[in-house]
Amino acid sequence: MRQISPVATLFAVAVLPLALTGCSLIPKEAAKAAVKAAAPSAPTGAPATDGPNKGLLTGVQLKAALAPASFFPSGYTADPSDARDSGPTYRPPVAAEVPTPDCTKLGGTAWTGITGIDGVSFAQDAYVNKNSSEEYAQEIDVYQGTTSTTVLGALGMLSKACPSFTDEQTHGKVTVTEKPLAGVGDGAWVITETSPEWMGGTTLVAARVGHSVVTVLVSGNGDKGLAGATKLTNQLVSNLKGKA
């Protein structure tokens, strides 16, 4: 019999409210219900006018809300392999009742998947400095009901679930620390990753704006990416104000 780790239990508490909002859809019947409930938007990418997705931004709109190439410092170019979005329609919401976090996802750009909760639409891309390998990654995910609050709460517990992990490239130990970030959106968290094997560090920021959750990853050789991550997060929050 497989035992449930304390980490999995921690995230189970974070995801539990989804059952109350109708978003914890895992069994076959529930998955079918989710597909039926998640009505697609118009081909133009406009928000749905009724149903559980009423007024929620589509992937097309979220893509337009991402920071443009002109925002990033000189020397950074778009990474085509990291650019994707959910398009003009919505996806069925999914939430694992007892997810077992894969802490190594904190080393990737789409690190929100560690919560086990998927929204109904998203958009993401990344910009990389090929000379220094420093990176800016940005993502916006949209959720039904109050799920965005649940997601931000789960992200605020990531350092407890994953105080450290092994970097897949250097095989070094990465230490994870976390604290609230005041004055950003409807709540935000900043996560710092450091390792003896790295020249600098990486900063992850998560912020909620209405039904949307902004997540940013910035790696730096000097200040661990904190200044750049905060600036990028504030830009995305500003882009979503009054829309999300």
Side-chain angles (χ1 to χ4, degrees), residues 134-159:
E134 294 174 300
E135 181 178 20
Y136 281 77
Q138 56 181 341
E139 181 174 348
I140 307 173
D141 293 87
V142 171
Y143 304 87
Q144 295 176 347
T146 60
T147 309
S148 60
T149 300
T150 301
V151 170
L152 189 67
L155 295 177
M157 294 190 290
L158 282 183
S159 62

Side-chain angles (χ1 to χ4, degrees), residues 83-147:
R84 58 181 66 91
D85 62 79
S86 53
T89 60
Y90 299 101
R91 308 178 302 172
V94 175
E97 291 181 347
V98 186
T100 301
D102 176 1
C103 296
T104 61
K105 287 186 177 181
L106 286 172
T109 56
W111 52 277
T112 53
I114 198 172
T115 65
I117 308 172
D118 292 334
V120 295
S121 59
F122 80 97
Q124 68 176 67
D125 63 25
Y127 289 77
V128 179
N129 187 318
K130 295 182 179 179
N131 294 323
S132 65
S133 297
E134 294 174 300
E135 181 178 20
Y136 281 77
Q138 56 181 341
E139 181 174 348
I140 307 173
D141 293 87
V142 171
Y143 304 87
Q144 295 176 347
T146 60
T147 309

Side-chain angles (χ1 to χ4, degrees), residues 39-49 53 55-65 85-91 120-123 140-142 212 240 243-244:
S41 65
T44 57
T49 56
N53 295 323
L56 299 184
L57 298 179
T58 66
V60 172
Q61 293 174 304
L62 295 175
K63 180 179 180 180
D85 62 79
S86 53
T89 60
Y90 299 101
R91 308 178 302 172
V120 295
S121 59
F122 80 97
I140 307 173
D141 293 87
V142 171
S212 301
L240 291 170
K243 301 176 183 178

Side-chain angles (χ1 to χ4, degrees), residues 21-48:
T21 61
C23 296
S24 182
L25 307 179
I26 301 175
K28 294 180 180 179
E29 266 51 48
K32 292 179 181 178
V35 173
K36 183 177 181 180
S41 65
T44 57

Side-chain angles (χ1 to χ4, degrees), residues 34 50 93 100 135 140 192 208 216 226 231:
D50 56 19
T100 301
E135 181 178 20
I140 307 173
T192 303
R208 185 177 72 84
V216 163
L226 177 59
K231 182 179 179 181

